[in-house]
């Protein structure tokens, strides 16, 4: 009976999420984590910290929360890179840019998330480089990502002042091997090789409401 009620609540939640996504006010995705770092990953996008906190509190008050233990969280913001921003323009008036700032989370089969920093070490101190130098590094770095267009969807988020790392990288793909290919290729790019520091990787498979019910069934 618990799982029937849970499934009904998830269906109701999905209706709410679809309405939020249609207004470009947020998005939600749910994945089953592979390995022993966690079991379920929820990714929530909202326009304000207050809204995000409200979603979190609603979950914590739910009956489902009694059966789970949080093991990791990460707070970050979708932002337009200063290396790509068109000078003197309103980003929300450019459809392509607006779509990047208010993304709808793709419902790809697989997800890969990891946090990262830019290194501060003697000759390899990212924050001592000029803006032009950083632009050049990021331009070549970005070209690798563009080679995976149509195979991997990337959402890069900033977390300076919000969490323990400086950026969060979330990758979506229907073929999980593309994660390894992309990350491996980027390791040899000078931007990553000299300046990249990486946290733990979380990889998972998409969860539908029916899939979550099956996951919890005993």
């Amino acid at each position: 009976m618990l799982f029937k009620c849970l499934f009904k609540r998830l269906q109701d939640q999905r209706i709410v999420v679809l309405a939020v996504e249609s207004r470009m006010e947020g998005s939600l995705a749910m994945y089953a984590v592979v390995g022993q770092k966690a079991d379920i990953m929820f990714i929530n996008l909202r326009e304000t910290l207050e809204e995000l906190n409200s979603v979190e509190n609603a979950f914590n008050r739910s009956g489902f929360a009694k059966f789970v233990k949080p093991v990791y969280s990460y707070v970050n913001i979708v932002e337009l890179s200063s290396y790509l921003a068109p000078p003197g323009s309103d980003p929300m008036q450019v459809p392509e840019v607006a779509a990047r700032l208010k993304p709808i989370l793709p419902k790809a089969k697989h997800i890969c998330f990891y946090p990262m920093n830019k290194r501060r070490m003697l000759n390899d101190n990212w924050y001592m480089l000029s803006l032009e130098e950083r632009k050049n590094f990021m331009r070549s770095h970005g070209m690798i990502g563009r080679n995976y267009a149509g195979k991997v969807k990337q959402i890069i988020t900033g977390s300076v002042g919000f969490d323990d790392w400086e950026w969060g990288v979330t990758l979506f793909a229907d073929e999980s091997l593309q994660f390894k290919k992309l990350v491996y290729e980027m390791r040899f790019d000078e931007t990553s090789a000299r300046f990249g520091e990486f946290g733990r990787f979380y990889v998972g498979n998409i969860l539908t409401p029916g899939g979550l019910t099956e996951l919890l069934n005993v």
Side-chain angles (χ1 to χ4, degrees), residues 77-142:
I77 184 171
V78 180
E79 59 187 359
L80 185 64
S81 170
S82 59
Y83 310 116
L84 302 175
S89 64
D90 179 358
M92 296 310 296
Q93 299 305 312
V94 183
E96 296 79 8
V97 176
R100 293 181 63 175
L101 288 173
K102 293 188 173 185
I104 300 300
L105 294 170
K107 305 307 183 277
K109 291 181 180 179
H110 309 288
I111 193 173
C112 173
F113 170 81
Y114 59 93
M116 64 170 293
N117 286 339
K118 285 293 196 298
R119 188 171 292 142
R120 303 172 179 84
M121 292 181 62
L122 299 176
N123 295 328
D124 292 333
N125 188 329
W126 179 257
Y127 294 95
M128 294 300 291
L129 299 177
S130 68
L131 177 60
E132 194 59 35
E133 287 175 308
R134 284 180 278 131
K135 278 186 176 181
N136 289 335
F137 275 119
M138 293 307 297
R139 189 177 297 115
S140 63
H141 191 68

Side-chain angles (χ1 to χ4, degrees), residues 127-203:
Y127 294 95
M128 294 300 291
L129 299 177
S130 68
L131 177 60
E132 194 59 35
E133 287 175 308
R134 284 180 278 131
K135 278 186 176 181
N136 289 335
F137 275 119
M138 293 307 297
R139 189 177 297 115
S140 63
H141 191 68
M143 290 305 296
I144 297 175
R146 290 188 183 93
N147 292 334
Y148 289 82
K151 300 177 183 177
V152 179
K153 169 71 174 179
Q154 306 177 62
I155 297 180
I156 313 299
T157 48
S159 47
V160 176
F162 288 121
D163 220 304
D164 299 332
W165 296 78
E166 296 172 341
W167 285 277
V169 180
T170 311
L171 309 175
F172 299 87
D174 286 326
E175 183 186 350
S176 58
L177 189 58
Q178 296 299 326
F179 297 147
K180 182 179 185 300
K181 292 179 178 179
L182 172 58
V183 175
Y184 182 78
E185 187 174 349
M186 283 194 165
R187 284 291 192 271
F188 291 93
D189 177 70
E190 188 175 4
T191 309
S192 291
R194 287 183 58 190
F195 302 106
E197 296 178 340
F198 304 91
R200 303 182 81 185
F201 280 65
Y202 292 82
V203 178

